[in-house]
């Protein structure tokens, strides 16, 4: 929804990725005329473990946590 700020989505992503160290950067906000009630917010995300290399399963789990956190905090979803 247009009432959700990119900063709120960023906070939710960071919360979902915890306790991993994360760099999260919004790089695009798009509002299409045909879907003016919604916006698409794109983020670049880099994560790393504090004391270990992350495997594919670790990264997948972090991604799922971040997506779930955004859905719960902001009502957001992945664009398909």
């Amino acid at each position: 929804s247009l009432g959700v700020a990119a900063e709120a989505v960023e906070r939710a992503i960071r919360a979902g990725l915890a306790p991993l160290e994360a760099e999260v950067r919004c790089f695009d906000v798009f509002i299409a005329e045909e879907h003016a009630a919604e916006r698409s917010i794109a983020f670049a995300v880099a994560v790393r473990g504090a004391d270990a290399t992350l495997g594919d399963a670790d990264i997948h789990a972090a991604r799922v946590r971040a997506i779930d956190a955004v859905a719960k905090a902001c009502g957001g979803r992945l664009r398909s």
Side-chain angles (χ1 to χ4, degrees):
S1 104
L2 289 176
V4 175
E7 293 83 8
V9 177
E10 180 179 334
R11 281 191 303 275
I13 292 169
R14 288 181 186 282
L17 293 173
L20 299 175
E21 296 177 17
E23 293 178 27
V24 180
R25 181 180 58 86
C26 177
F27 66 88
D28 188 39
V29 177
F30 176 75
I31 302 171
E33 289 182 28
E34 63 273 12
H35 298 289
E38 295 184 355
R39 75 174 78 177
S40 176
I41 307 173
F43 289 86
V45 178
V47 295
R48 62 190 155 284
D51 57 358
T53 300
L54 300 175
D56 290 343
D58 301 313
I59 295 168
H60 176 75
R63 180 179 185 269
V64 169
R65 289 194 316 269
I67 293 166
D68 288 347
V70 171
K72 289 175 185 165
C74 306
R77 60 181 167 74
L78 280 182
R79 180 175 60 191
S80 54

